[in-house]
Amino acid sequence: MLERIHVRDEFRIVYALAGPHALKDQRDLNGNGIPDKVEDVATQLVAGRHLFSDLMGFVAPLKQPRYAQATSIDVFMLKMERGNGLAYDEVRNYRLGFDGATGQCALRIDLLNSHANQNVTPVHELFHLYQYGYTMFKPRWFLEGTARWAEYALRLGSGPQKPLPLSSVSLQEQVFGTTYAASNFWNRLALLLDPVGRMRLPAAVAHLAYVDGGRVVHDDELHGAAFVKAVFESLASLDRDIGARQGWPAYQWKEADQRSAQFDADIFGRMQSVVRLEARRAGLANSPELEAFLALTPSLQKDPIHEPE
């Protein structure tokens, strides 16, 4: 059903022009035989990889030990029953027919075939692959909160924020019990720890454009990249420690354990340590808001019921 493929660097966009998964918008303004929507997805993903890896220093998914078998990131444009996108955390071999009888090992992203052109869902889902490459932890306040933060590498401004939670109750309500809204918390920490928040965009990235000429990266503002990267690195160490303690093989945790709220306090403790170090480096040790936040001790919560994407 998905009979077309467009390759750009490590990204392979798989799509259809007919059938149930056919692209709703098949415009081809530049007349090169590739729908603009497909080209725009590829351009956005390349921009994201440049920003996350080349500029901010995150290890790209295909360079992580967990994904040593994967040789590409395959993006499927589909008629999805719900949501705009989905990133998978395991290496897969689809035997699509493009790669011969033996197929090719790849990471997978699904995108809604009718999502608005230049919507930032592709880079959001790509950032999930970065998360999965670093750590097995998948609480949604972490996954969706930081992925929504990452969208602002492309979007205008730095995203909404709220004052940091200052009690265990507000921590549960504003962070652990949320998903996408947790970005308010991550955005606030990012701004406090990195008030200047400017990316040094190389010309090749700053001038990237979609087929219709629209800008891919809207400004050079992004706060807290070093902080988020340090959190990822700390969680990579933490999940190795917990996996060893539980006797779980590396990269083979059960899905329920990856998402479990039982590790929220451990994750939060590591994050506090990173915040403390980053605040010291930035000369913010006397910030009352940060000091109150760093004094928080989260209470252990039962697994929350998450709303669907």
Side-chain angles (χ1 to χ4, degrees):
M1 289 189 294
L2 299 174
E3 77 280 5
R4 303 292 183 99
I5 186 169
H6 172 60
V7 180
R8 179 100 176 263
D9 296 348
E10 72 267 42
F11 302 104
R12 307 197 309 173
I13 318 302
V14 185
Y15 63 100
L17 298 180
H21 297 292
L23 296 178
K24 303 302 181 184
D25 182 352
Q26 299 185 14
R27 283 176 295 178
D28 181 13
L29 293 178
N30 57 13
N32 67 352
I34 303 167
D36 299 342
K37 181 182 293 293
V38 171
E39 284 195 87
D40 287 349
V41 166
T43 297
Q44 187 179 126
L45 291 170
V46 168
R49 189 244 299 136
H50 277 308
L51 292 167
F52 301 145
S53 292
D54 302 337
L55 197 62
M56 302 179 202
F58 289 93
V59 177
L62 294 180
K63 293 185 178 180
Q64 289 281 13
R66 182 180 185 184
Y67 297 134
Q69 291 180 302
T71 57
S72 65
I73 296 176
D74 291 354
V75 181
F76 293 81
M77 307 288 290
L78 303 168
K79 178 183 178 182
M80 299 176 65
E81 294 301 320
R82 66 181 211 177
N84 290 326
L86 179 65
Y88 297 78
D89 62 353
E90 299 293 342
V91 175
R92 296 164 182 252
N93 188 330
Y94 304 97
R95 291 178 172 82
L96 294 171
F98 301 115
D99 308 305
T102 59
Q104 175 175 303
C105 290
L107 296 178
R108 174 171 176 169
I109 291 173
D110 290 348
L111 294 177
L112 181 66
N113 64 353
S114 59
H115 81 280
N117 282 21
Q118 304 172 20
N119 174 287
V120 294
T121 296
V123 82
H124 178 106
E125 299 304 328
L126 174 62
F127 199 71
H128 283 321
L129 297 185
Y130 276 84
Q131 295 164 335
Y132 302 154
Y134 272 94
T135 180
M136 300 300 294
F137 295 121
K138 292 169 65 176
R140 294 187 70 197
W141 63 269
F142 164 67
L143 288 185
E144 302 302 348
T146 57
R148 184 62 61 82
W149 163 86
E151 292 177 10
Y152 282 89
L154 270 61
R155 297 174 69 177
L156 189 65
S158 58
Q161 56 181 274
K162 291 183 178 179
L164 296 178
L166 301 179
S167 70
S168 294
V169 172
S170 60
L171 179 63
Q172 178 63 31
E173 292 176 348
Q174 297 177 36
V175 183
F176 297 156
T178 66
T179 57
Y180 298 96
S183 61
N184 296 326
F185 161 75
W186 290 98
N187 290 342
R188 180 61 178 167
L189 277 175
L191 179 65
L192 289 172
L193 295 170
D194 179 17
V196 176
R198 296 293 173 183
M199 300 182 288
R200 296 181 179 178
L201 296 174
V205 176
H207 296 154
L208 270 176
Y210 294 115
V211 174
D212 67 2
R215 296 181 63 180
V216 179
V217 182
H218 283 80
D219 62 28
D220 65 352
E221 182 178 359
L222 185 72
H223 302 271
F227 156 64
V228 176
K229 177 173 175 285
V231 169
F232 281 22
E233 292 168 346
S234 185
L235 295 186
S237 170
L238 176 62
D239 79 31
R240 286 194 297 270
D241 293 343
I242 288 177
R245 188 170 71 226
Q246 299 286 353
W248 296 337
Y251 315 133
Q252 296 182 34
W253 293 21
K254 294 179 180 179
E255 185 70 17
D257 292 323
Q258 294 179 61
R259 294 183 178 274
S260 177
Q262 69 176 308
F263 300 123
D264 281 350
D266 296 299
I267 295 170
F268 185 75
R270 284 297 183 98
M271 189 174 62
Q272 282 180 309
S273 296
V274 172
V275 170
R276 189 173 288 108
L277 180 59
E278 292 295 318
R280 200 173 295 134
R281 286 175 177 169
L284 302 170
N286 296 321
S287 164
E289 185 177 2
L290 283 175
E291 285 299 315
F293 170 76
L294 290 171
L296 276 178
T297 302
S299 56
L300 186 62
Q301 300 289 329
K302 294 181 180 179
D303 286 324
I305 299 175
H306 296 302
E307 71 268 23
E309 293 188 46

